[in-house]
Amino acid sequence: MLLEPGCLMSGKTAILGGGVSGLSAAYYLLENSKLRNITLIEASERTGGWLRSKVSSNGIIFEEGPRTVRPQGPAGSNTLHLIDRLKLTEKIIPISLSHPAAKNRMIYAENKLHKLPNSLLGMFRTNSPFDRPLIGCLMNDLRAPKLIKDDETIYSFVERRLGKDVADYLISPMICGICAGDARQISVKFLMTALFEHEQNHGSIVKGFMASRLQSFLSFSQKTVKNSFIFSREHSDSRFSSHRLAGKEKWSMWTLRGGLEQLSIALANDIKSRGVVIGLNIRCQGITFADGGVELELNGKKYKFARVISSLSAKHLADLVQRQHPKLAAELLAIPYVTVAVINLVFAGNVLEQEAFGFLVAPKEQSPILGVIYDSCILPRKDTTVLTVMMGGAWFTSNFGDHPTKEHLLSVAIQHTKKILNIEAGPLSYNVAILKDCIPQYVVGHQDRIKRIEDYVGKHKLPLSLCGSAYKGVGLNDVILSGQQAASAFYQ
């Protein structure tokens, strides 16, 4: 039993969900000595959420979730700082900008693979499937009229400003790879907030970019001195930090020896060693806010806490608050999710004609697969080729129905992968996972919806903080940072 039913533990914090955002929230709560009475509640038999690295009988790692992480930006540096603090630094496997997995990205369109330009010179050449040099997009942008909008789909924005070919063959496959989504539904603010604001404020992407560069140049010295000082104090314990090394060695991305699940395992071990209670196989069946605290119904029994951090999916949290806060529940339920099938395949020998990160499929091809990742290019193996096929996403139900068998998904993955890559033999081994409702979709209006959710929680003074992929980013870096932000909301 986690607590005596019905008793309020002063200062007690509950965290719902043991995925990487929930684990991160617990980790960062421990930095505040007043918030160290923490119980993390997970409905399944394990922590880690979508981070799952399965090891086959012959030592091959099948990643069912993310496999690489980008080091760039504040969120990227925050994750690397966490890696250092968890003493995982020696497990980092960096992939530099010069590595084939970083340089070579491909699109499957018009029934063949096309390598995307990876240099400035390549932008001035005509590369299939485009019928013009991509540098021509800039002229398209300068000619396109400005449209005043609060939000629009990323497909519509790119089609208007850069051209239909870019929307079809570059942005749409990219959205498939990032969130398994349909670019005709996803908000432009999901990936291109700055570019969208350039148009709104300056009339075009190019004009806005030039204006922002000029502004940055004029204020460069003052900002650089200030920000460097803040970074060195908060994020670097030594000049040999992983973040600094990533910049020095020009990492494009990184992974961990033994699989990315090593991160969630290390987080769980760390917080348990510092007193966090982790309850597995415990399902939250209701949330009631009262008397400045919160009552949770856990496996049929009620427990009181001072505050709660939810890392659950938005739709799951909506069910829990529906009775008491239907307006909040309606906003949460409006965040859609997609299901993705992940099929790991192992083939004998080297079956790849081109070393690359992999390829994405243009949705206009109407293929049942979203893309294929070349795992053995990222982590080379001498005797086998390891691939990961992603399927479904926004088109899961239309392609496979509501309840496809794993056997059917495997058959489709093998058939299409062999055809596209000209592979003759079947796979030596495989792994199939169906990730139900795994990725939230930031559709048009998402940013405004998140503001309404935050305003509602603040207005009603709910002792509730939110983290996870449903709100401000779907990547691993994003959800770790969201856990930190959710914890810091209770620091006052």
mmCIF file of all heavy atoms in Angstrom, residues 252-295:
data_model
loop_
_atom_site.group_PDB
_atom_site.id
_atom_site.type_symbol
_atom_site.label_atom_id
_atom_site.label_comp_id
_atom_site.label_asym_id
_atom_site.label_seq_id
_atom_site.Cartn_x
_atom_site.Cartn_y
_atom_site.Cartn_z
ATOM 1 N N SER A 252 25.518 15.366 -34.959
ATOM 2 C CA SER A 252 24.199 15.546 -35.553
ATOM 3 C C SER A 252 23.140 14.957 -34.624
ATOM 4 O O SER A 252 22.053 15.514 -34.458
ATOM 5 C CB SER A 252 24.129 14.852 -36.917
ATOM 6 O OG SER A 252 22.806 14.799 -37.397
ATOM 7 N N MET A 253 23.476 13.825 -34.020
ATOM 8 C CA MET A 253 22.581 13.132 -33.099
ATOM 9 C C MET A 253 23.405 12.179 -32.251
ATOM 10 O O MET A 253 24.618 12.043 -32.456
ATOM 11 C CB MET A 253 21.475 12.395 -33.853
ATOM 12 C CG MET A 253 21.981 11.510 -34.974
ATOM 13 S SD MET A 253 20.680 10.947 -36.073
ATOM 14 C CE MET A 253 21.621 10.566 -37.551
ATOM 15 N N TRP A 254 22.760 11.548 -31.308
ATOM 16 C CA TRP A 254 23.459 10.582 -30.464
ATOM 17 C C TRP A 254 22.470 9.510 -30.008
ATOM 18 O O TRP A 254 21.261 9.685 -30.072
ATOM 19 C CB TRP A 254 24.117 11.256 -29.261
ATOM 20 C CG TRP A 254 23.179 12.036 -28.384
ATOM 21 C CD1 TRP A 254 22.853 13.361 -28.500
ATOM 22 C CD2 TRP A 254 22.441 11.542 -27.247
ATOM 23 N NE1 TRP A 254 21.953 13.717 -27.528
ATOM 24 C CE2 TRP A 254 21.686 12.626 -26.745
ATOM 25 C CE3 TRP A 254 22.338 10.303 -26.624
ATOM 26 C CZ2 TRP A 254 20.848 12.505 -25.639
ATOM 27 C CZ3 TRP A 254 21.492 10.171 -25.521
ATOM 28 C CH2 TRP A 254 20.777 11.274 -25.038
ATOM 29 N N THR A 255 23.024 8.400 -29.553
ATOM 30 C CA THR A 255 22.215 7.358 -28.948
ATOM 31 C C THR A 255 23.006 6.775 -27.778
ATOM 32 O O THR A 255 24.078 7.285 -27.437
ATOM 33 C CB THR A 255 21.837 6.279 -29.979
ATOM 34 O OG1 THR A 255 20.907 5.373 -29.380
ATOM 35 C CG2 THR A 255 23.049 5.515 -30.487
ATOM 36 N N LEU A 256 22.497 5.730 -27.173
ATOM 37 C CA LEU A 256 23.165 5.120 -26.022
ATOM 38 C C LEU A 256 23.491 3.662 -26.291
ATOM 39 O O LEU A 256 22.682 2.936 -26.883
ATOM 40 C CB LEU A 256 22.276 5.209 -24.768
ATOM 41 C CG LEU A 256 22.035 6.598 -24.177
ATOM 42 C CD1 LEU A 256 21.052 6.510 -23.017
ATOM 43 C CD2 LEU A 256 23.343 7.232 -23.710
ATOM 44 N N ARG A 257 24.660 3.252 -25.880
ATOM 45 C CA ARG A 257 25.041 1.847 -25.964
ATOM 46 C C ARG A 257 24.072 1.037 -25.097
ATOM 47 O O ARG A 257 23.855 1.330 -23.930
ATOM 48 C CB ARG A 257 26.475 1.669 -25.477
ATOM 49 C CG ARG A 257 27.014 0.257 -25.664
ATOM 50 C CD ARG A 257 28.477 0.179 -25.262
ATOM 51 N NE ARG A 257 29.316 1.022 -26.123
ATOM 52 C CZ ARG A 257 29.835 2.176 -25.742
ATOM 53 N NH1 ARG A 257 29.619 2.619 -24.519
ATOM 54 N NH2 ARG A 257 30.579 2.888 -26.578
ATOM 55 N N GLY A 258 23.470 0.014 -25.692
ATOM 56 C CA GLY A 258 22.463 -0.767 -24.968
ATOM 57 C C GLY A 258 21.049 -0.300 -25.232
ATOM 58 O O GLY A 258 20.101 -0.903 -24.733
ATOM 59 N N GLY A 259 20.900 0.798 -26.011
ATOM 60 C CA GLY A 259 19.567 1.298 -26.359
ATOM 61 C C GLY A 259 19.162 2.494 -25.520
ATOM 62 O O GLY A 259 19.647 2.686 -24.401
ATOM 63 N N LEU A 260 18.251 3.293 -26.051
ATOM 64 C CA LEU A 260 17.835 4.513 -25.355
ATOM 65 C C LEU A 260 17.056 4.231 -24.078
ATOM 66 O O LEU A 260 16.918 5.114 -23.237
ATOM 67 C CB LEU A 260 17.000 5.393 -26.286
ATOM 68 C CG LEU A 260 17.767 6.370 -27.174
ATOM 69 C CD1 LEU A 260 16.801 7.281 -27.918
ATOM 70 C CD2 LEU A 260 18.735 7.228 -26.355
ATOM 71 N N GLU A 261 16.555 3.007 -23.925
ATOM 72 C CA GLU A 261 15.868 2.681 -22.675
ATOM 73 C C GLU A 261 16.813 2.766 -21.477
ATOM 74 O O GLU A 261 16.369 2.853 -20.329
ATOM 75 C CB GLU A 261 15.226 1.299 -22.745
ATOM 76 C CG GLU A 261 14.275 1.022 -21.591
ATOM 77 C CD GLU A 261 13.601 -0.333 -21.682
ATOM 78 O OE1 GLU A 261 13.790 -1.038 -22.685
ATOM 79 O OE2 GLU A 261 12.874 -0.687 -20.736
ATOM 80 N N GLN A 262 18.122 2.771 -21.739
ATOM 81 C CA GLN A 262 19.088 2.956 -20.644
ATOM 82 C C GLN A 262 18.815 4.259 -19.895
ATOM 83 O O GLN A 262 19.061 4.360 -18.692
ATOM 84 C CB GLN A 262 20.510 2.972 -21.200
ATOM 85 C CG GLN A 262 20.957 1.665 -21.831
ATOM 86 C CD GLN A 262 20.990 0.528 -20.836
ATOM 87 O OE1 GLN A 262 21.547 0.657 -19.751
ATOM 88 N NE2 GLN A 262 20.377 -0.589 -21.198
ATOM 89 N N LEU A 263 18.291 5.269 -20.605
ATOM 90 C CA LEU A 263 17.990 6.553 -19.972
ATOM 91 C C LEU A 263 16.871 6.422 -18.952
ATOM 92 O O LEU A 263 17.004 6.876 -17.805
ATOM 93 C CB LEU A 263 17.629 7.587 -21.041
ATOM 94 C CG LEU A 263 17.088 8.933 -20.541
ATOM 95 C CD1 LEU A 263 18.060 9.575 -19.569
ATOM 96 C CD2 LEU A 263 16.792 9.861 -21.716
ATOM 97 N N SER A 264 15.758 5.800 -19.339
ATOM 98 C CA SER A 264 14.645 5.673 -18.395
ATOM 99 C C SER A 264 14.993 4.733 -17.245
ATOM 100 O O SER A 264 14.555 4.943 -16.105
ATOM 101 C CB SER A 264 13.376 5.196 -19.119
ATOM 102 O OG SER A 264 13.587 3.973 -19.778
ATOM 103 N N ILE A 265 15.792 3.704 -17.519
ATOM 104 C CA ILE A 265 16.230 2.797 -16.444
ATOM 105 C C ILE A 265 17.081 3.558 -15.432
ATOM 106 O O ILE A 265 16.900 3.422 -14.207
ATOM 107 C CB ILE A 265 17.015 1.610 -17.033
ATOM 108 C CG1 ILE A 265 16.078 0.696 -17.836
ATOM 109 C CG2 ILE A 265 17.715 0.820 -15.928
ATOM 110 C CD1 ILE A 265 16.798 -0.383 -18.622
ATOM 111 N N ALA A 266 18.011 4.376 -15.932
ATOM 112 C CA ALA A 266 18.875 5.158 -15.041
ATOM 113 C C ALA A 266 18.062 6.170 -14.236
ATOM 114 O O ALA A 266 18.320 6.387 -13.036
ATOM 115 C CB ALA A 266 19.962 5.863 -15.847
ATOM 116 N N LEU A 267 17.089 6.805 -14.875
ATOM 117 C CA LEU A 267 16.231 7.756 -14.167
ATOM 118 C C LEU A 267 15.464 7.070 -13.049
ATOM 119 O O LEU A 267 15.418 7.566 -11.912
ATOM 120 C CB LEU A 267 15.240 8.396 -15.145
ATOM 121 C CG LEU A 267 15.649 9.692 -15.838
ATOM 122 C CD1 LEU A 267 14.621 10.058 -16.909
ATOM 123 C CD2 LEU A 267 15.790 10.832 -14.843
ATOM 124 N N ALA A 268 14.858 5.921 -13.351
ATOM 125 C CA ALA A 268 14.085 5.192 -12.340
ATOM 126 C C ALA A 268 14.974 4.763 -11.179
ATOM 127 O O ALA A 268 14.596 4.903 -10.007
ATOM 128 C CB ALA A 268 13.406 3.984 -12.978
ATOM 129 N N ASN A 269 16.156 4.247 -11.480
ATOM 130 C CA ASN A 269 17.077 3.823 -10.419
ATOM 131 C C ASN A 269 17.522 4.998 -9.560
ATOM 132 O O ASN A 269 17.632 4.889 -8.333
ATOM 133 C CB ASN A 269 18.294 3.125 -11.023
ATOM 134 C CG ASN A 269 17.961 1.760 -11.602
ATOM 135 O OD1 ASN A 269 16.952 1.144 -11.228
ATOM 136 N ND2 ASN A 269 18.787 1.284 -12.514
ATOM 137 N N ASP A 270 17.771 6.132 -10.212
ATOM 138 C CA ASP A 270 18.234 7.311 -9.481
ATOM 139 C C ASP A 270 17.169 7.820 -8.512
ATOM 140 O O ASP A 270 17.458 8.068 -7.338
ATOM 141 C CB ASP A 270 18.629 8.415 -10.460
ATOM 142 C CG ASP A 270 19.089 9.679 -9.758
ATOM 143 O OD1 ASP A 270 20.302 9.788 -9.492
ATOM 144 O OD2 ASP A 270 18.245 10.552 -9.460
ATOM 145 N N ILE A 271 15.948 7.983 -8.992
ATOM 146 C CA ILE A 271 14.921 8.557 -8.114
ATOM 147 C C ILE A 271 14.523 7.576 -7.006
ATOM 148 O O ILE A 271 14.225 7.981 -5.881
ATOM 149 C CB ILE A 271 13.686 9.030 -8.911
ATOM 150 C CG1 ILE A 271 12.997 7.878 -9.627
ATOM 151 C CG2 ILE A 271 14.085 10.121 -9.900
ATOM 152 C CD1 ILE A 271 11.709 8.280 -10.351
ATOM 153 N N LYS A 272 14.560 6.264 -7.303
ATOM 154 C CA LYS A 272 14.270 5.281 -6.246
ATOM 155 C C LYS A 272 15.334 5.325 -5.168
ATOM 156 O O LYS A 272 15.027 5.225 -3.974
ATOM 157 C CB LYS A 272 14.195 3.869 -6.850
ATOM 158 C CG LYS A 272 12.870 3.557 -7.507
ATOM 159 C CD LYS A 272 12.708 2.074 -7.797
ATOM 160 C CE LYS A 272 13.674 1.594 -8.864
ATOM 161 N NZ LYS A 272 13.422 0.180 -9.254
ATOM 162 N N SER A 273 16.588 5.495 -5.578
ATOM 163 C CA SER A 273 17.679 5.541 -4.600
ATOM 164 C C SER A 273 17.583 6.763 -3.708
ATOM 165 O O SER A 273 18.154 6.789 -2.612
ATOM 166 C CB SER A 273 19.037 5.538 -5.318
ATOM 167 O OG SER A 273 19.275 6.775 -5.976
ATOM 168 N N ARG A 274 16.847 7.772 -4.148
ATOM 169 C CA ARG A 274 16.695 9.001 -3.353
ATOM 170 C C ARG A 274 15.319 9.113 -2.712
ATOM 171 O O ARG A 274 14.927 10.196 -2.271
ATOM 172 C CB ARG A 274 16.986 10.218 -4.234
ATOM 173 C CG ARG A 274 18.455 10.279 -4.664
ATOM 174 C CD ARG A 274 18.813 11.623 -5.255
ATOM 175 N NE ARG A 274 18.337 11.791 -6.622
ATOM 176 C CZ ARG A 274 18.145 12.968 -7.207
ATOM 177 N NH1 ARG A 274 18.348 14.083 -6.519
ATOM 178 N NH2 ARG A 274 17.741 13.031 -8.468
ATOM 179 N N GLY A 275 14.610 7.996 -2.634
ATOM 180 C CA GLY A 275 13.405 7.949 -1.816
ATOM 181 C C GLY A 275 12.080 8.046 -2.525
ATOM 182 O O GLY A 275 11.029 7.986 -1.883
ATOM 183 N N VAL A 276 12.058 8.181 -3.843
ATOM 184 C CA VAL A 276 10.788 8.229 -4.553
ATOM 185 C C VAL A 276 10.152 6.837 -4.544
ATOM 186 O O VAL A 276 10.814 5.840 -4.849
ATOM 187 C CB VAL A 276 10.979 8.717 -6.007
ATOM 188 C CG1 VAL A 276 9.668 8.607 -6.797
ATOM 189 C CG2 VAL A 276 11.476 10.157 -6.025
ATOM 190 N N VAL A 277 8.886 6.784 -4.183
ATOM 191 C CA VAL A 277 8.147 5.526 -4.206
ATOM 192 C C VAL A 277 7.570 5.334 -5.607
ATOM 193 O O VAL A 277 6.852 6.201 -6.108
ATOM 194 C CB VAL A 277 7.010 5.527 -3.170
ATOM 195 C CG1 VAL A 277 6.178 4.248 -3.286
ATOM 196 C CG2 VAL A 277 7.576 5.683 -1.767
ATOM 197 N N ILE A 278 7.891 4.224 -6.253
ATOM 198 C CA ILE A 278 7.356 3.924 -7.580
ATOM 199 C C ILE A 278 6.387 2.762 -7.451
ATOM 200 O O ILE A 278 6.778 1.657 -7.056
ATOM 201 C CB ILE A 278 8.469 3.571 -8.583
ATOM 202 C CG1 ILE A 278 9.406 4.783 -8.777
ATOM 203 C CG2 ILE A 278 7.869 3.144 -9.923
ATOM 204 C CD1 ILE A 278 10.542 4.521 -9.742
ATOM 205 N N GLY A 279 5.123 3.023 -7.765
ATOM 206 C CA GLY A 279 4.103 1.995 -7.705
ATOM 207 C C GLY A 279 3.740 1.527 -9.089
ATOM 208 O O GLY A 279 3.282 2.315 -9.919
ATOM 209 N N LEU A 280 3.956 0.241 -9.383
ATOM 210 C CA LEU A 280 3.628 -0.334 -10.685
ATOM 211 C C LEU A 280 2.297 -1.072 -10.627
ATOM 212 O O LEU A 280 1.835 -1.464 -9.547
ATOM 213 C CB LEU A 280 4.735 -1.287 -11.139
ATOM 214 C CG LEU A 280 6.148 -0.692 -11.272
ATOM 215 C CD1 LEU A 280 7.142 -1.779 -11.672
ATOM 216 C CD2 LEU A 280 6.164 0.455 -12.275
ATOM 217 N N ASN A 281 1.687 -1.261 -11.801
ATOM 218 C CA ASN A 281 0.400 -1.957 -11.901
ATOM 219 C C ASN A 281 -0.678 -1.287 -11.054
ATOM 220 O O ASN A 281 -1.547 -1.957 -10.475
ATOM 221 C CB ASN A 281 0.546 -3.429 -11.491
ATOM 222 C CG ASN A 281 1.502 -4.182 -12.395
ATOM 223 O OD1 ASN A 281 1.318 -4.206 -13.615
ATOM 224 N ND2 ASN A 281 2.534 -4.767 -11.810
ATOM 225 N N ILE A 282 -0.605 0.029 -10.964
ATOM 226 C CA ILE A 282 -1.586 0.802 -10.201
ATOM 227 C C ILE A 282 -2.293 1.757 -11.167
ATOM 228 O O ILE A 282 -1.664 2.649 -11.748
ATOM 229 C CB ILE A 282 -0.925 1.597 -9.059
ATOM 230 C CG1 ILE A 282 -0.256 0.633 -8.077
ATOM 231 C CG2 ILE A 282 -1.945 2.474 -8.352
ATOM 232 C CD1 ILE A 282 0.541 1.315 -6.988
ATOM 233 N N ARG A 283 -3.576 1.571 -11.326
ATOM 234 C CA ARG A 283 -4.337 2.375 -12.281
ATOM 235 C C ARG A 283 -5.085 3.491 -11.561
ATOM 236 O O ARG A 283 -5.789 3.247 -10.569
ATOM 237 C CB ARG A 283 -5.328 1.492 -13.033
ATOM 238 C CG ARG A 283 -6.077 2.212 -14.150
ATOM 239 C CD ARG A 283 -6.824 1.224 -15.012
ATOM 240 N NE ARG A 283 -5.891 0.356 -15.715
ATOM 241 C CZ ARG A 283 -5.278 0.686 -16.841
ATOM 242 N NH1 ARG A 283 -5.485 1.885 -17.376
ATOM 243 N NH2 ARG A 283 -4.461 -0.157 -17.430
ATOM 244 N N CYS A 284 -4.933 4.705 -12.059
ATOM 245 C CA CYS A 284 -5.691 5.836 -11.529
ATOM 246 C C CYS A 284 -7.056 5.848 -12.200
ATOM 247 O O CYS A 284 -7.159 5.860 -13.429
ATOM 248 C CB CYS A 284 -4.959 7.153 -11.783
ATOM 249 S SG CYS A 284 -5.799 8.584 -11.063
ATOM 250 N N GLN A 285 -8.098 5.853 -11.367
ATOM 251 C CA GLN A 285 -9.464 5.761 -11.891
ATOM 252 C C GLN A 285 -10.277 7.025 -11.682
ATOM 253 O O GLN A 285 -11.423 7.107 -12.117
ATOM 254 C CB GLN A 285 -10.167 4.562 -11.230
ATOM 255 C CG GLN A 285 -9.494 3.240 -11.561
ATOM 256 C CD GLN A 285 -9.750 2.173 -10.520
ATOM 257 O OE1 GLN A 285 -9.652 2.422 -9.320
ATOM 258 N NE2 GLN A 285 -10.086 0.967 -10.974
ATOM 259 N N GLY A 286 -9.686 8.019 -11.024
ATOM 260 C CA GLY A 286 -10.404 9.270 -10.817
ATOM 261 C C GLY A 286 -9.542 10.295 -10.116
ATOM 262 O O GLY A 286 -8.648 9.950 -9.334
ATOM 263 N N ILE A 287 -9.784 11.573 -10.427
ATOM 264 C CA ILE A 287 -9.087 12.687 -9.786
ATOM 265 C C ILE A 287 -10.133 13.671 -9.287
ATOM 266 O O ILE A 287 -11.014 14.095 -10.043
ATOM 267 C CB ILE A 287 -8.142 13.412 -10.761
ATOM 268 C CG1 ILE A 287 -7.069 12.465 -11.294
ATOM 269 C CG2 ILE A 287 -7.495 14.627 -10.100
ATOM 270 C CD1 ILE A 287 -6.152 13.099 -12.340
ATOM 271 N N THR A 288 -10.053 14.032 -8.008
ATOM 272 C CA THR A 288 -10.952 15.035 -7.434
ATOM 273 C C THR A 288 -10.123 16.083 -6.708
ATOM 274 O O THR A 288 -9.301 15.752 -5.839
ATOM 275 C CB THR A 288 -11.940 14.391 -6.446
ATOM 276 O OG1 THR A 288 -12.674 13.358 -7.107
ATOM 277 C CG2 THR A 288 -12.911 15.433 -5.907
ATOM 278 N N PHE A 289 -10.321 17.349 -7.080
ATOM 279 C CA PHE A 289 -9.619 18.446 -6.421
ATOM 280 C C PHE A 289 -10.521 19.026 -5.344
ATOM 281 O O PHE A 289 -11.674 19.372 -5.601
ATOM 282 C CB PHE A 289 -9.250 19.533 -7.441
ATOM 283 C CG PHE A 289 -8.314 19.052 -8.518
ATOM 284 C CD1 PHE A 289 -8.808 18.666 -9.761
ATOM 285 C CD2 PHE A 289 -6.951 18.977 -8.279
ATOM 286 C CE1 PHE A 289 -7.948 18.221 -10.754
ATOM 287 C CE2 PHE A 289 -6.088 18.528 -9.262
ATOM 288 C CZ PHE A 289 -6.591 18.156 -10.502
ATOM 289 N N ALA A 290 -9.996 19.133 -4.109
ATOM 290 C CA ALA A 290 -10.780 19.662 -2.994
ATOM 291 C C ALA A 290 -9.852 20.092 -1.867
ATOM 292 O O ALA A 290 -8.791 19.478 -1.650
ATOM 293 C CB ALA A 290 -11.768 18.615 -2.486
ATOM 294 N N ASP A 291 -10.268 21.150 -1.164
ATOM 295 C CA ASP A 291 -9.554 21.620 0.024
ATOM 296 C C ASP A 291 -8.089 21.917 -0.253
ATOM 297 O O ASP A 291 -7.213 21.650 0.588
ATOM 298 C CB ASP A 291 -9.673 20.597 1.165
ATOM 299 C CG ASP A 291 -11.121 20.291 1.511
ATOM 300 O OD1 ASP A 291 -11.932 21.232 1.495
ATOM 301 O OD2 ASP A 291 -11.430 19.117 1.775
ATOM 302 N N GLY A 292 -7.802 22.440 -1.434
ATOM 303 C CA GLY A 292 -6.432 22.812 -1.768
ATOM 304 C C GLY A 292 -5.531 21.643 -2.090
ATOM 305 O O GLY A 292 -4.339 21.824 -2.330
ATOM 306 N N GLY A 293 -6.092 20.443 -2.127
ATOM 307 C CA GLY A 293 -5.299 19.263 -2.448
ATOM 308 C C GLY A 293 -5.976 18.456 -3.542
ATOM 309 O O GLY A 293 -6.824 18.954 -4.286
ATOM 310 N N VAL A 294 -5.602 17.175 -3.629
ATOM 311 C CA VAL A 294 -6.164 16.329 -4.678
ATOM 312 C C VAL A 294 -6.347 14.911 -4.138
ATOM 313 O O VAL A 294 -5.516 14.402 -3.394
ATOM 314 C CB VAL A 294 -5.250 16.318 -5.923
ATOM 315 C CG1 VAL A 294 -3.845 15.861 -5.574
ATOM 316 C CG2 VAL A 294 -5.826 15.441 -7.026
ATOM 317 N N GLU A 295 -7.487 14.315 -4.484
ATOM 318 C CA GLU A 295 -7.775 12.943 -4.100
ATOM 319 C C GLU A 295 -7.725 12.067 -5.346
ATOM 320 O O GLU A 295 -8.384 12.348 -6.338
ATOM 321 C CB GLU A 295 -9.158 12.846 -3.450
ATOM 322 C CG GLU A 295 -9.506 11.433 -2.948
ATOM 323 C CD GLU A 295 -10.865 11.392 -2.294
ATOM 324 O OE1 GLU A 295 -11.869 11.366 -3.032
ATOM 325 O OE2 GLU A 295 -10.929 11.408 -1.046
#
